[in-house]
Amino acid sequence: MTPVSINTGRLRSPFYPRLAELDSLNTWHNWAGYSSAEALYCEDMEYFAIRNSTGVFDITPMTKYRITGPDALDYLNRLVTRDMRKIKPGRVAYAIWCDDQGQVIDDGTIFHLREGEYRLCSQERHLAWLTTAAIGFDVTVKEETAEIAALAVQGPTSYSVLKNMGIDGLDSLKPFGLIHHQIFGTELMVSRTGFTGDLGYELWIDPDKAIDLWDALFAAGKLHGIQAIGTHALDLARKEAGYLAPFEDFLPAETTVRTGRTRSPLEIGMEWLVDFNKDNFNGRRALLKEKAEGSTWRLVKLDIEGNKTADHSYIYADDKKNSDEIGFITSAAWSPVCKQNIALGTVRTPHGKPGDNVWVEVYYQREMHWNRVMAKATVVDKPFWFPARRGMTPPAPF
Amino acid sequence: MINKYDAIVIGAGHNGLVCSALLAKAGKNVLVLEANDQVGGAAITREFADGYSVSACAHLLYKIQSQVEKDLNLNINLASDNLSTIVLSEVGEHVTYCGNKVTGVNESDQKNFAEFFKRMTRFSDLLNTYLNKPPPRLGTKNKKDLFTLAMLGFDLRRMGKVEMREFLRLIGMNIYDELDERFESPLLKGGLSLDSVLGTHLGPRSPNTILTYLFRMAGKHGTLSTPKGGMGSVTKAMSDSAKAAGVEIITNAKVKKVIIEKGTATGVELNDGTIYNSEIVVSNADPKKTMLELVGARNVETRFTHRIDNIRMKGNAAKLHIALNKLPTIKGFSESDYSQRILIAPDENYVERAFNSAKYGESSPLPVLEITFPSIKDSSLAPSGCHVMSAVVQYAPYQQKSDWNEEARTNFKNDIFSVLKQHMPDIENCCLSSEILTPLDLEKEFHITGGHWHHGELTLDQFMFVRPVAGSAQYQMPIDGLYLCGAGSHPGGGISGASGRNAAQVILKREKR
């Protein structure tokens, strides 16, 4: 056997040359084996690009799996909790998948690219699970993370930017829809998806054309305030949208050791994604049992009084007789666009129903000294940030 | 046509028949669907040449459980009973053992053999108690399971400190080391090695071959008999008993799939499209065939499917049938010797070497054999004056490099005959016709995945609490109303009827709730 040389270092996305040019902070971290920028020049300004103009985020490291074969639909339908038969070609589904015990492994998006041809994207790698789940199905699961370069283009002016680039069909592209567009002698896939809760798109292309795409995009967006952004800006935006992050708001079941640390979809507010009318999906038996017997945990979105960010705080019941700790915060931030002190947390049932009041114990430091406040918080059921433009078709030009 | 039943059993193998009879006796309206044209599964008598018949798979009866005989009022007509085992020596100095007696070896081996037998039967008795009940679940709060577990611990301890320690030392061990420590006679060691590995993908040096030996001894201490009319008569008696209890049996009815609606079994569909409905579906098929083919992965969970898919069940035993115009000559054999069980396993290393080839997808060039001439005591099996030879031949791996093409089959047959010729020089002259059934043939003919006699390797990781797989050892599959009753579930292979009986108990108990 001839020895094969493998790059064991950190991978660079095909957009890296452009990102490196814009980068003045040099704060990179590891995302699924790739270098990913936390921020490029100022995380606050990058965040405001998402909300006020257009932010461009390199999502190449997002793991991508191509799922094809005669049983592709049946395979996906057993894998995820929602009914994939309803997702027609040209549509995208947000989905979650569980282990046999009905505990969430991860969430992600499934693109129905063409009839019977799917792409599953998620933050974490799952080839082992996806391969195991393929036993007994005539299906091919192929890891194609490195074969596709992708950018998230998010913000109120994103529609105008892409239109400027000459992409057709955007006027009728609804949220969670996708179109194919010919450019640079190759195919560009455009989906109206994202992780910011705003108007936005994701672009998918052959890595060889990544730089061409970047240059065309930034040229088209020059007068629309286009900015490259890092993960910190995106993370704040996703909290405002009420989106969950694995390893923060839930733990992927396959990598969790301690019992009771995982969550079921019912415990993270994803009941709407669980279709018990399907004949079967992985975890169905366990989840039916949980539904009948009641869940242990509930995910809550909290609107907290004051302006002290409630990172890692304990949550207490608002009850004179019972002031026990009922849970904790998993993600928290001051939302600049909502002017709200927001957080996602996990509490024991029956606590945390929408409209309930709870108390959050916030610690914060001022010049070395620690202070503590008990802040009142309200459980809300809608995302903190949900602008009308996010759902408008066609979106308004800016 | 009535097509609604209280219970449907897929497959009329011996366990399916036992299970159906017991369900019917408890008042259930039971239907048995058999893919082949006769009942019995692999336990049938089969004509392989004009006028010559043999038991198609297992040819010796040593495990049938007395409870099964009693529950089904079975009256099995035996052609021969309490057979001795003769391990052939090329020079005619054979070693013969039966019960705790052995001849043809020195005094110390004789003494050691009696001691060995005593200990092994004691351990196998302990094992046997637990083969005849559903295995307890681990990590449960169910009182019955906890009680059974406690009893298991208690029974172990009750043997006394020394014996318990010995049991725990031996249970995971290989037979080779134990035999080497105890005995001198190569033939005795060879014979006992073969006893331990028959029907498995294990060599005498493989771990837990003492367990497989104990499993063989469980029930009747290894007492061997042959049924009159071959193994088919045993399953015939079972099916008669089932029919008497009201069971309806349809042959040539190949089940295509188990019908499942939202996690509950509601019936089965045949290849021809016929549908039979029932709230209880019991599968006598092996776990892989049941879950991956008849049920389908889409109806069960991923990890469960993974575990089922990983069950080791690639057969390694072939069956050789020879029609003889007369009995072959064996040096030093008396007339009565021919009706015994005859082994070709000259020593323990020979057996291990035979296994070596199987590890790499090749059949053994020097195979080991378990031979019987059942026609001596049962004239129904061959024309007058003629005889049949029925032999289990190892090793013949299911996954043979050349996929058992004609050349591979001929070569293997030639290898077997040259081994036979060393002990029976005139075998070729006696031979009128012959056939060999490889695991691939057994898979095709009896619909057993991998052609494995035990529906899954009998090893500690696929035994008791974890047979067929962890989390579903009590016959109930993770589909409401679907049960296993075949050898792939606890306790395992051999014509014992224990799996079928245990499964029936579990099903009837669930029903009561």
Side-chain angles (χ1 to χ4, degrees), chain A residues 71 74 78 100 129 132-133 135-137 254 276-285, chain B residues 260-263 292 297-307 309 477-480:
Chain A
D71 287 345
D74 289 348
R78 203 271 292 255
D100 290 13
W129 178 259
T132 307
I135 297 169
F137 290 89
E254 285 290 281
F276 286 114
N277 290 322
K278 279 205 298 184
D279 278 344
N280 190 42
F281 58 82
N282 213 54
R284 184 176 183 271
R285 286 172 78 82
Chain B
I260 289 155
E261 282 167 23
K262 296 211 169 22
L292 299 179
R298 66 202 60 203
N299 286 307
V300 280
E301 314 295 64
T302 297
R303 276 281 171 245
F304 178 78
T305 310
H306 190 210
R307 285 199 287 267
D309 193 51
M477 292 294 100
I479 299 273
D480 292 334

Side-chain angles (χ1 to χ4, degrees), chain B residues 24-266:
Chain B
K25 276 176 194 282
K28 300 275 167 212
N29 180 15
V30 188
L31 171 70
V32 178
L33 296 166
E34 167 59 41
N36 288 353
D37 56 6
Q38 59 170 315
V39 299
I44 55 164
T45 308
R46 181 166 163 285
E47 194 176 64
F48 69 96
D50 207 12
Y52 296 85
S53 306
V54 283
S55 305
C57 230
H59 53 189
L60 290 164
L61 207 53
Y62 57 93
K63 282 197 70 85
I64 186 115
Q65 297 288 336
S66 48
Q67 289 96 321
V68 170
E69 289 185 85
K70 210 173 83 201
D71 289 352
L72 265 70
N73 297 323
L74 289 183
N75 194 7
I76 298 168
N77 212 345
L78 295 181
S80 63
D81 198 4
N82 206 19
L83 297 180
S84 295
T85 295
I86 306 175
V87 194
L88 294 186
S89 134
E90 256 181 86
V91 291
E93 290 165 4
H94 313 302
V95 166
T96 306
Y97 54 88
C98 181
N100 63 355
K101 301 267 186 309
V102 56
T103 58
V105 297
N106 65 23
E107 213 172 286
S108 111
D109 270 4
Q110 287 181 4
K111 197 171 133 266
N112 278 333
F113 185 75
E115 208 177 85
F116 174 75
F117 185 81
K118 191 175 158 202
R119 181 162 270 166
M120 287 296 151
T121 47
R122 184 169 188 190
F123 292 164
S124 70
D125 284 348
L126 170 71
L127 198 61
N128 197 47
T129 321
Y130 293 90
L131 302 186
N132 281 299
K133 49 176 104 171
R137 282 169 293 193
L138 299 176
T140 168
K141 285 177 186 140
N142 180 293
K143 276 190 187 130
K144 178 129 196 278
D145 288 336
L146 291 173
F147 182 74
T148 314
L149 272 175
M151 278 309 292
L152 177 61
F154 181 67
D155 282 346
L156 267 173
R157 191 64 189 86
R158 216 168 42 151
M159 290 196 298
K161 202 195 240 171
V162 175
E163 288 298 286
M164 178 180 82
R165 199 184 285 154
E166 194 60 9
F167 180 84
L168 295 175
R169 181 179 77 89
L170 288 172
I171 194 74
M173 230 179 86
N174 68 80
I175 193 88
Y176 183 101
D177 288 351
E178 178 67 5
L179 296 177
D180 241 23
E181 275 175 28
R182 282 183 179 273
F183 304 115
E184 288 167 28
S185 161
L187 286 174
L188 178 60
K189 288 192 272 186
L192 292 172
S193 292
L194 180 50
D195 286 349
S196 312
V197 300
L198 257 180
T200 66
H201 178 77
L202 299 167
R205 280 183 143 151
S206 307
N208 100 177
T209 35
I210 288 192
L211 171 74
T212 45
Y213 185 76
L214 290 177
F215 187 78
R216 182 182 173 81
M217 301 287 281
K220 305 203 156 180
H221 296 174
T223 307
L224 302 160
S225 55
T226 56
K228 209 170 188 71
M231 215 43 94
S233 68
V234 175
T235 44
K236 172 79 172 34
M238 286 174 173
S239 87
D240 288 346
S241 166
K243 280 182 192 157
V247 174
E248 190 182 331
I249 302 176
I250 307 179
T251 51
N252 291 315
K254 193 162 193 261
V255 173
K256 188 168 100 187
K257 65 171 185 179
V258 177
I259 303 168
I260 289 155
E261 282 167 23
K262 296 211 169 22
T264 304
T266 61

Side-chain angles (χ1 to χ4, degrees), chain A residues 72-146:
Chain A
L73 174 60
D74 289 348
Y75 166 79
L76 286 170
N77 233 359
R78 203 271 292 255
L79 179 76
V80 304
T81 58
R82 74 182 291 174
D83 191 347
M84 289 303 295
R85 286 170 300 192
K86 294 177 181 164
I87 309 302
K88 304 290 174 209
R91 297 291 299 164
V92 184
Y94 172 63
I96 46 173
W97 52 100
C98 301
D99 65 5
D100 290 13
Q101 286 71 43
Q103 302 299 297
V104 175
I105 291 176
D106 205 353
D107 63 347
T109 40
I110 301 172
F111 295 74
H112 196 167
L113 302 172
R114 288 180 182 84
E115 187 63 50
E117 198 179 315
Y118 295 89
R119 179 184 295 151
L120 184 149
C121 297
S122 61
Q123 183 186 305
E124 303 301 318
R125 293 199 185 258
H126 292 293
L127 192 60
W129 178 259
L130 296 177
T131 309
T132 307
I135 297 169
F137 290 89
D138 188 356
V139 70
T140 310
V141 180
K142 184 173 167 280
E143 158 95 55
E144 58 175 8
T145 302

Side-chain angles (χ1 to χ4, degrees), chain B residues 431-442:
Chain B
C431 172
L432 297 172
S433 79
S434 66
E435 72 160 359
I436 182 134
L437 297 176
T438 65
L440 212 62
D441 300 320
L442 298 173

Side-chain angles (χ1 to χ4, degrees), chain A residues 38-329:
Chain A
E38 287 169 4
L40 292 163
Y41 62 99
C42 167
E43 60 183 69
D44 293 341
M45 294 305 288
E46 291 167 25
Y47 160 80
F48 280 112
I50 300 173
R51 293 296 179 225
N52 295 337
S53 54
T54 290
V56 177
F57 182 66
D58 180 9
I59 53 170
T60 304
M62 187 143 74
T63 56
K64 310 170 200 80
Y65 301 99
R66 179 70 63 113
I67 295 159
T68 50
D71 287 345
L73 174 60
D74 289 348
Y75 166 79
L76 286 170
N77 233 359
R78 203 271 292 255
L79 179 76
V80 304
T81 58
R82 74 182 291 174
D83 191 347
M84 289 303 295
R85 286 170 300 192
K86 294 177 181 164
I87 309 302
K88 304 290 174 209
R91 297 291 299 164
V92 184
Y94 172 63
I96 46 173
W97 52 100
C98 301
D99 65 5
D100 290 13
Q101 286 71 43
Q103 302 299 297
V104 175
I105 291 176
D106 205 353
D107 63 347
T109 40
I110 301 172
F111 295 74
H112 196 167
L113 302 172
R114 288 180 182 84
E115 187 63 50
E117 198 179 315
Y118 295 89
R119 179 184 295 151
L120 184 149
C121 297
S122 61
Q123 183 186 305
E124 303 301 318
R125 293 199 185 258
H126 292 293
L127 192 60
W129 178 259
L130 296 177
T131 309
T132 307
I135 297 169
F137 290 89
D138 188 356
V139 70
T140 310
V141 180
K142 184 173 167 280
E143 158 95 55
E144 58 175 8
T145 302
E147 291 162 33
I148 291 149
L151 290 174
V153 183
Q154 305 276 312
T157 63
S158 56
Y159 163 72
S160 303
V161 174
L162 295 187
K163 223 173 148 68
N164 261 359
M165 243 180 88
I167 296 170
D168 312 318
L170 292 176
D171 288 351
S172 55
L173 185 61
K174 291 181 180 153
F176 289 100
L178 67 88
I179 50 173
H180 302 282
H181 176 76
Q182 288 300 320
I183 194 167
F184 316 126
T186 187
E187 190 180 84
L188 171 73
M189 197 256 279
V190 181
S191 57
R192 192 164 164 192
T193 47
F195 202 50
T196 59
D198 215 308
L199 172 65
Y201 301 86
E202 286 168 335
L203 310 181
W204 315 75
I205 201 163
D206 179 343
D208 290 343
K209 306 292 178 194
I211 295 293
D212 292 341
L213 175 67
W214 181 281
D215 292 345
L217 184 69
F218 276 75
K222 202 171 174 193
L223 298 177
H224 295 276
I226 198 166
Q227 297 290 338
I229 64 164
T231 38
H232 285 174
L234 184 74
D235 192 49
L236 177 51
R238 72 96 190 161
K239 287 174 192 168
E240 293 175 334
Y243 293 158
L244 311 184
F247 290 110
E248 286 190 41
D249 304 301
F250 69 90
L251 293 182
E254 285 290 281
T255 50
T256 305
V257 177
R258 293 170 176 83
T259 50
R261 301 292 162 95
T262 56
R263 295 288 185 270
S264 84
L266 314 182
E267 292 175 325
I268 57 170
M270 294 294 170
E271 195 166 348
W272 65 280
L273 274 177
V274 181
D275 191 342
F276 286 114
N277 290 322
K278 279 205 298 184
D279 278 344
N280 190 42
F281 58 82
N282 213 54
R284 184 176 183 271
R285 286 172 78 82
L287 291 176
L288 268 180
K289 188 159 172 266
E290 183 184 322
K291 198 172 155 67
E293 291 174 1
S295 306
T296 309
W297 297 97
R298 175 184 282 140
L299 184 125
V300 289
K301 297 187 196 77
L302 295 177
D303 179 2
I304 304 167
E305 66 174 18
N307 61 3
K308 304 290 182 293
T309 308
D311 281 309
H312 319 299
S313 299
Y314 275 122
I315 303 172
Y316 296 89
D318 181 31
D319 184 340
K320 291 222 161 52
K321 282 177 222 141
N322 175 14
S323 57
D324 287 352
E325 167 259 311
I326 55 169
F328 47 90
I329 301 289

Side-chain angles (χ1 to χ4, degrees), chain B residues 52 322-330 338 373 385-389 417 424-434:
Chain B
Y52 296 85
I322 307 181
L324 301 160
N325 55 15
K326 64 178 175 72
L327 288 174
T329 320
I330 302 174
Y338 281 95
F373 297 100
C386 298
H387 285 285
V388 287
M389 182 210 248
F417 270 88
M424 309 167 185
D426 56 351
I427 182 76
E428 275 170 339
N429 297 335
C430 307
C431 172
L432 297 172
S433 79
S434 66

